[in-house]
Amino acid sequence: QVQVVESGGGLVQTGGSLTLSCAASGRIFSINAMGWYRPAPGKQRELVASITSAGSTAYADSVKGRFTISRDNAKNTVYLQMNSLKPDETAVYYCNAWLNYNPVWGQGTQVTVSS
């Protein structure tokens, strides 16, 4: 069985920074795109940022220039560096990874931005 586990959430003041981590584990023979999602109005979840196994990245327009996604393929881990956080970005952030050609979701990590 494979899984992803997020960490790094917490409480931060407006304008502060946090780094989220997501580690994939289990019997993994293939790992492709990894990404971060959060709930959004009218949607179940919206893409915050994603990164392919080759390192190509994509970001939601609202986070471009403030968030940086990266990954360590040797550790099967993806990171999300979040800077200049805003109160409306308070949410549970979920990691998604394509493991063995299937999408796998984590349980989420809470990010709270105080005003």
Side-chain angles (χ1 to χ4, degrees):
Q1 187 171 350
V2 296
Q3 65 176 357
V4 295
V5 178
E6 303 99 332
S7 61
L11 174 65
V12 65
Q13 291 185 333
T14 297
S17 299
L18 279 175
T19 299
L20 306 183
S21 300
C22 170
S25 62
R27 296 190 64 185
I28 300 170
F29 56 81
S30 174
I31 179 167
N32 294 307
M34 303 180 80
W36 292 93
Y37 292 75
R38 64 189 180 193
K43 303 178 182 178
Q44 186 172 7
R45 292 171 186 172
E46 68 172 357
L47 174 69
V48 177
S50 66
I51 184 167
T52 68
S53 57
S56 297
T57 59
Y59 295 93
D61 287 344
S62 62
V63 307
K64 286 180 181 177
R66 298 186 296 118
F67 290 13
T68 302
I69 190 169
S70 61
R71 65 191 283 171
D72 184 334
N73 290 330
K75 296 181 179 179
N76 291 340
T77 299
V78 63
Y79 306 95
L80 184 66
Q81 172 69 43
M82 305 185 293
N83 298 325
S84 302
L85 282 160
K86 306 173 184 179
D88 64 1
E89 294 179 312
T90 293
V92 177
Y93 284 69
Y94 296 91
C95 176
N96 172 271
W98 281 84
L99 306 180
N100 303 339
Y101 308 108
N102 290 292
V104 178
W105 291 93
Q107 293 298 307
T109 185
Q110 176 71 45
V111 172
T112 301
V113 185
S114 64
S115 57

